[in-house]
Amino acid sequence: MIKGVMFDFSGTLFRIESAAKWLRAVVADAGLAVSEDELDACVSGLEEFGAQPGGVPPRQVPPHLEGLWRERDLTAERHRAAFTAMAREAGLPAADLAEALYERSQVSGAWQPYPDAEATLRALRERGIPVAVISNIGWDMRPVFRDHGVDDLVDAYFLSFECGVKKPDPRIFQMACDKLGVAPGDALMVGDEPIADSGAAALGCQVHLLDPLPVDRRPSALAEVLQLL
């Protein structure tokens, strides 16, 4: 019987804006005149190097950034350094846009909750099932939950840069189970990363994986979680 549920953040409860919208917002704020062709090429580069936090994973990581990239979620400093470095590899219209892009990725308006996220979290609260959010991340995304009106539906957050350990290490899942007061065998982990989120299975937790589709293409996958209880 499931007595506690753990959720991933990006690609599970929320999804960041498209890379094109992300870049265009920053270019507009900077007052730069950039051609459509240059914008399109830059978006392709950002996606190639996985430079958007919460966006598509990189198709390549330059050798000189491999170490930093592997450890990006362990501290706020490494996270910023890794993503801004990858953004610079993408051929930005202006070099200082790398920092502006990183800052944009932490703005609540850049994130959208999945259509059924609030209803699912509220249903769990009504059933008395505690909820934790576990994320490999380098910044505090609690304001995103607050600004979208769902922070009161989450009992605890376990963020890799705060915990000093990241998924799939079983320790971060154990921390969450301990906080929620449930045995791992009575906990469900819901996420979108097969390797990272399936680390919970090593403790005996059930794991349910979702497809991190854009929000307009995944209207009800989270609600299906309620059927697993």
Side-chain angles (χ1 to χ4, degrees):
M1 179 179 179
I2 300 300
K3 298 179 180 178
V5 180
M6 302 173 287
F7 289 97
D8 175 49
F9 166 53
S10 175
T12 299
L13 290 174
F14 284 81
R15 174 72 186 256
I16 199 167
E17 64 193 352
S18 69
K21 185 176 180 182
W22 181 54
L23 175 63
R24 287 174 184 276
V26 169
V27 168
D29 285 346
L32 296 176
V34 182
S35 71
E36 287 297 316
D37 286 347
E38 190 175 1
L39 284 171
D40 289 345
C42 189
V43 168
S44 296
L46 291 168
E47 292 179 337
E48 175 74 18
F49 290 99
Q52 184 185 30
V56 298
R59 291 189 284 272
Q60 63 166 307
V61 177
H64 67 285
L65 294 177
E66 287 178 353
L68 180 61
W69 186 253
R70 282 195 302 271
E71 298 182 345
R72 68 191 182 281
D73 294 319
L74 292 176
T75 71
E77 294 76 18
R78 291 175 191 170
H79 195 269
R80 177 183 287 271
F83 279 101
T84 54
M86 293 292 255
R88 293 186 185 97
E89 295 288 329
L92 298 173
D96 59 355
L97 286 185
E99 292 290 339
L101 284 167
Y102 187 80
E103 294 295 333
R104 170 74 186 178
S105 71
Q106 300 181 23
V107 173
S108 295
W111 293 88
Q112 286 183 286
Y114 280 93
D116 53 345
E118 181 177 356
T120 299
L121 292 172
R122 197 166 296 283
L124 291 170
R125 177 54 53 93
E126 291 170 353
R127 297 186 190 192
I129 297 175
V131 166
V133 170
I134 306 178
S135 179
N136 285 352
I137 197 168
W139 55 280
D140 183 5
M141 60 4 178
R142 292 175 183 87
V144 175
F145 284 75
R146 288 197 295 269
D147 292 343
H148 285 280
V150 294
D151 179 60
D152 63 327
L153 303 176
V154 177
D155 297 283
Y157 295 85
F158 293 87
L159 313 184
S160 60
F161 83 104
E162 293 178 341
C163 298
V165 61
K166 62 180 183 176
K167 302 178 293 186
D169 192 316
R171 289 177 293 173
I172 197 167
F173 302 104
Q174 186 67 63
M175 292 177 194
C177 288
D178 291 345
K179 181 67 175 180
L180 297 183
V182 301
D186 295 328
L188 171 67
M189 176 64 204
V190 182
D192 66 288
E193 288 284 347
I195 295 176
D197 296 316
S198 293
L203 292 178
C205 303
Q206 293 187 44
V207 176
H208 182 66
L209 296 175
L210 305 175
D211 191 337
L213 295 168
V215 292
D216 59 349
R217 293 174 53 199
R218 210 193 73 190
S220 59
L222 281 166
E224 295 171 3
V225 170
L226 301 175
Q227 301 173 17
L228 303 174
L229 304 181

